[in-house]
Amino acid sequence: MCVPTQSAETRKYIKLFIQSAIVMNTPSLELVCPAGTPAALKDAVDHGADAVYVGFRNETNARNFPGLNFSADELAEGITYAHAKSCKVFVAINTFARAGASHLWHQALFDAERLKVDAVILADLGLLHYCHRTYPNLRKHLSVQASASNVESIRFYQKAFNVKRMVLPRVLTVSEIANIYHKTHAELEVFAFGGLCVMAEGRCALSSYATGKSPNTSGVCSPASHVHYEKQGEKLISKLGEFTINVFESHESAGYPTLCKGRFIANGKPLYLFEEPVSLNTISILDKLKAAGVCAIKIEGRQRGRAYVAEVVRSFRAALDNPEGSLLIPATQLSTISEGQTETVGSYERGWR
Amino acid sequence: MKSFLTLGPLLFNWDIKKIREFYFKIADEAPIECVYLGEIVCSKRAPFLEPVLQELTERLKQAGKEVIYSTSVLIESDKELENSRTRVQAWANGLVEANDMAAIHFLLGKPHCIGPYINVYNEEALLYLTEQGAIRVTLPFELPQTSIAALSQAQNRANLELQVFGRQPLAISARCAHARAYGLHKHNCQLICGQDLDGMAVLTLNQQPFLVVNGLQTLSYTYCNLIRELTELQNLGVSYFRLSPHHTHMVEVAHVFRNVLDQKYEGEEGYRRLQALLPEASFSNGFYKSEAGYVNRGKG
């Protein structure tokens, strides 16, 4: 009997097809949504979030902005509200504890455990170690601020601290993400929409170089306290501390001076050296992310208003629930509320680099 | 406690002839006890350094210097990961400095060094890494004096190192801003970063010097200079002092730091000598002083 032989190439495709089929039949991507305030939490839950992520009102979280975040009591109420509608609550304790002041971060963990959050999102080695020893049953997610960008780093966090889920840094391509999933079988969460870090997260001191405050140390980037605008004739100058981040002509719409989205002079000419003022939007590649093994997608923007949260959550809920995939999504609606109003799929496609 | 002067890994893309001359001069003339070698910024540059790594190592060791292999800051692809693993395992000359969690995972349980790109912001992180085999930890660039003081008081067996001279690495990206500024793509970058020996200056739109770009890395335009703080750092318990290589009079710079460490003259005098050696450079100590990094504060 003659058995047809398969080329190596064919076998590879069959294997990939089976893998993708298995992945596509798994539950839908979990939609993880920002809640900067108790009101935003309710909006996110009501519009279809599978999980919300929040922070305490202090420097223990990476969105330590005035008027944002939760007291322990507010969080308790938020958890009751979310759980009643089968929505999980994750708490980001994802800055790096200040030497001599770890008690503040320990208190945050204590409260998170006491209030029965569904997971804590951590970045700091010291805090991961402490949490692993002190609250072994508290589910741990690795914050994007830990910037675990390769298989070996992820294995380390799995083995050393029993971290269940990794929020991947926004520097990886879809095929690199697929490879990480294939080799670690970790739960992978990726950013799907919102502000886009150009730099490896948790390893960036640009903001503290200009202002003294950084995501790692203070939970802020390009803080509003250091932002000011100057009018110069027809031009509008945006500054961060002492430094000009952009100059807008009268026909240009002025944006917030996030340092890495500024216009600078390099090699003799002005340009958006690191990144244009764009916003991440992966709504067109959700199927690819899922096929790569991603289990959860995250919406950035705990600092954004309720309208943003409601609109983005509703759009992504519709996209995920629609079996036809991303073609029927109200992308136009989304693009009007994204930062800078220009969108990119960022590093997920190799050309971005 | 004895104070050691170290030379951090070369961050910039110099040609091999310049690299050999530079390290031979360091071997012969610089009062430096320890040299870190390795291409840590961009995996595309690594194949050029590889062929001379052993020669440089032997030359430096013959001159009585400790040589430590320093690993990549950002590892993404499996190829980069395997290259990093191979290099770490093949390094038979002494210690390895880990600059990424993957490298720490390779080195668990063995004596090793922790580079400044690992986030050691507090006592618990420091103690955890020490338990895993770290014997020397170079602290992150943005740590203030208050944190350094607290860390040095932790019950810790690892020696502490701090960069005290040179432009400060502030960020790393998967995207190459250097190639971008020259209208090139990362995958066909022509190693354009080799044109700028101390990094490509980045100015604000009103011509104020702000940053420098070095391939995937962004650094401060100012040179960190903690020579006036050396004695305080020695008293705090920091015992390794890192100079970051620049296209300047590094041997003379090392002598000035050595003389202040040995109390031949005061930090203020050392500062004046560095100003004379690098008349074009702006110095800063803002991070150390709990201020914006670019700030430069004298005494009082």
Side-chain angles (χ1 to χ4, degrees):
Chain A
M1 200 172 91
C2 179
V3 179
T5 54
Q6 293 165 348
S7 70
E9 191 71 356
T10 312
R11 281 197 300 277
K12 189 177 135 197
Y13 279 112
I14 290 173
K15 195 175 158 198
L16 271 176
F17 177 78
I18 293 169
Q19 277 172 358
S20 313
I22 292 168
V23 171
M24 296 309 279
N25 282 331
T26 53
S28 177
L29 290 167
E30 184 178 285
L31 183 57
V32 184
C33 301
T37 59
L41 180 142
K42 284 184 180 164
D43 284 336
V45 172
D46 292 346
H47 287 100
D50 296 309
V52 292
Y53 65 103
V54 302
F56 287 115
R57 195 172 292 134
N58 56 34
E59 61 189 293
T60 62
N61 87 91
R63 287 288 185 279
N64 179 27
F65 298 168
L68 277 195
N69 299 314
F70 290 68
S71 68
D73 289 344
E74 287 165 344
L75 181 58
E77 281 176 33
I79 290 171
T80 306
Y81 188 85
H83 283 179
K85 298 196 173 186
S86 303
C87 178
K88 295 176 194 163
V89 179
F90 305 153
V91 175
I93 309 173
N94 59 345
T95 48
F96 294 83
R98 187 155 36 86
S102 294
H103 57 275
L104 195 59
W105 282 260
H106 292 178
Q107 181 67 42
L109 275 176
F110 176 81
D111 287 335
E113 149 89 358
R114 173 174 66 88
L115 298 172
K116 298 194 170 31
V117 303
D118 295 284
V120 286
I121 309 171
L122 309 177
D124 177 15
L125 276 175
L127 205 59
L128 279 158
H129 186 48
Y130 173 84
C131 184
H132 183 50
R133 278 182 300 140
T134 315
Y135 308 111
N137 297 321
L138 182 56
R139 185 180 170 87
K140 287 175 287 297
H141 293 182
L142 191 71
S143 169
V144 70
Q145 296 300 120
S147 201
S149 59
N150 59 63
V151 168
E152 199 70 26
S153 297
I154 285 169
R155 284 186 184 139
F156 168 80
Y157 287 108
Q158 287 177 313
K159 211 157 80 181
F161 310 119
N162 191 27
V163 176
K164 294 291 185 202
R165 180 181 294 187
M166 315 290 163
V167 184
L168 295 178
R170 283 163 274 196
V171 298
L172 299 169
T173 62
V174 172
S175 67
E176 284 167 352
I177 292 169
N179 180 55
I180 286 173
Y181 177 71
H182 183 63
K183 292 193 172 144
T184 63
H185 291 284
E187 286 180 24
L188 302 181
E189 180 175 312
V190 300
F191 277 88
F193 189 86
L196 172 76
C197 272
V198 194
M199 306 301 179
E201 292 96 336
R203 311 179 84 179
C204 181
L206 286 173
S207 177
S208 57
Y209 183 67
T211 71
K213 292 182 183 303
S214 74
N216 286 7
T217 56
S218 313
V220 293
C221 173
S222 310
S225 54
H226 290 66
V227 168
H228 52 279
Y229 295 88
E230 286 170 16
K231 198 89 178 138
Q232 196 180 74
E234 288 298 294
K235 294 176 179 169
L236 184 66
I237 300 168
S238 66
K239 297 185 88 167
L240 186 64
E242 294 293 306
F243 299 101
T244 294
I245 302 301
N246 213 335
V247 177
F248 301 96
E249 303 290 341
S250 53
H251 65 273
E252 293 178 298
S253 59
Y256 188 87
T258 304
L259 205 162
C260 60
K261 313 278 168 45
R263 202 153 23 174
F264 303 108
I265 299 169
N267 187 29
K269 54 181 188 288
L271 79 162
Y272 286 104
L273 179 62
F274 304 108
E275 179 64 286
E276 281 85 11
V278 291
S279 181
L280 180 71
N281 186 358
T282 62
I283 206 145
S284 63
I285 60 163
L286 290 180
D287 53 341
K288 288 183 191 160
L289 291 171
K290 192 178 174 195
V294 167
C295 77
I297 53 169
K298 183 165 212 158
I299 309 297
E300 185 274 346
R302 279 189 282 142
Q303 73 285 13
R304 305 292 300 266
R306 291 177 65 182
Y308 166 93
V309 171
E311 187 57 49
V312 180
V313 175
R314 191 162 44 214
S315 298
F316 271 84
R317 183 77 271 156
L320 292 172
D321 289 348
N322 188 330
E324 294 303 310
S326 47
L327 293 173
L328 300 173
I329 301 128
T332 44
Q333 259 170 285
L334 266 185
S335 64
T336 58
I337 57 167
S338 59
E339 248 172 343
Q341 308 210 356
T342 324
E343 294 174 341
T344 175
V345 291
S347 68
Y348 297 126
E349 283 181 356
R350 193 161 173 263
W352 180 82
R353 289 176 178 171
Chain B
M1 191 179 0
K2 186 168 164 25
S3 295
F4 300 88
L5 208 51
T6 76
L7 187 68
L10 172 66
L11 302 176
F12 305 104
N13 183 15
W14 294 354
D15 67 52
I16 289 304
K17 182 166 171 282
K18 181 170 168 59
I19 289 177
R20 287 179 78 241
E21 284 169 7
F22 176 79
Y23 282 107
F24 282 17
K25 196 166 155 70
I26 293 291
D28 293 339
E29 300 172 30
I32 280 170
E33 281 83 15
C34 169
V35 177
Y36 295 83
L37 292 180
E39 171 53 54
I40 70 165
V41 173
C42 179
S43 60
K44 293 179 79 170
R45 301 173 185 171
F48 300 96
L49 182 66
E50 209 84 332
V52 293
L53 201 53
Q54 196 54 36
E55 181 196 11
L56 296 180
T57 303
E58 279 162 20
R59 192 74 169 66
L60 289 160
K61 286 177 100 170
Q62 278 164 17
K65 301 184 192 314
E66 181 185 24
V67 182
I68 294 178
Y69 179 72
S70 208
T71 72
S72 298
V73 176
L74 182 64
I75 300 173
E76 292 148 351
S77 70
D78 272 11
K79 192 174 159 210
E80 287 169 342
L81 191 60
E82 285 319 306
N83 283 341
S84 192
R85 189 200 308 270
T86 309
R87 289 181 189 126
V88 166
Q89 285 168 352
W91 182 251
N93 298 295
L95 294 167
V96 172
E97 174 181 75
N99 285 314
D100 170 84
M101 292 314 294
I104 290 181
H105 203 199
F106 299 149
L107 292 162
L108 283 183
K110 285 180 234 163
H112 61 268
C113 301
I114 297 293
Y117 302 90
I118 302 292
N119 285 334
V120 182
Y121 280 80
N122 52 63
E123 300 88 332
E124 281 163 343
L126 179 64
L127 293 177
Y128 173 76
L129 291 169
T130 309
E131 283 166 18
Q132 309 310 313
I135 59 169
R136 193 189 305 170
V137 176
T138 301
L139 297 174
F141 305 101
E142 67 171 351
L143 279 193
Q145 187 268 357
T146 46
S147 287
I148 297 168
L151 287 169
S152 62
Q153 280 162 23
Q155 293 294 312
N156 173 45
R157 294 182 306 276
N159 291 305
L160 297 184
E161 177 164 339
L162 187 70
Q163 178 174 319
V164 291
F165 175 82
R167 288 185 159 149
Q168 288 181 296
L170 300 174
I172 187 93
S173 177
R175 180 180 241 193
C176 185
H178 215 134
R180 221 168 123 80
Y182 281 85
L184 296 167
H185 195 268
K186 183 182 174 189
H187 298 287
N188 182 26
C189 68
Q190 300 165 27
L191 295 168
I192 198 77
C193 52
Q195 291 193 4
D196 300 298
L197 296 178
D198 280 318
M200 170 181 66
V202 176
L203 314 180
T204 62
L205 290 178
N206 59 340
Q207 304 284 337
Q208 185 182 10
F210 185 19
L211 304 166
V212 301
V213 160
N214 167 41
L216 308 177
Q217 187 177 53
T218 305
L219 300 101
S220 61
Y221 184 84
T222 57
Y223 287 63
C224 159
N225 180 356
L226 298 183
I227 199 155
R228 292 172 297 189
E229 289 78 24
L230 279 189
T231 308
E232 183 177 47
L233 284 164
Q234 285 176 300
N235 292 337
L236 286 179
V238 175
S239 50
Y240 287 79
F241 298 89
R242 176 175 295 208
L243 314 178
S244 190
H246 279 282
H247 174 58
T248 185
H249 313 284
M250 285 307 294
V251 169
E252 290 78 2
V253 168
H255 277 287
V256 175
F257 274 89
R258 183 78 261 167
N259 286 338
V260 174
L261 286 176
D262 292 347
Q263 292 167 357
K264 297 233 172 88
Y265 44 77
E266 300 256 310
E268 291 294 335
E269 171 61 18
Y271 188 86
R272 281 190 288 276
R273 291 183 185 221
L274 291 175
Q275 278 179 317
L277 276 171
L278 291 90
E280 304 292 317
S282 330
F283 294 139
S284 61
N285 59 3
F287 285 136
Y288 185 78
K289 300 281 188 183
S290 299
E291 296 193 51
Y294 73 91
V295 167
N296 194 28
R297 290 263 179 256
K299 279 212 170 106

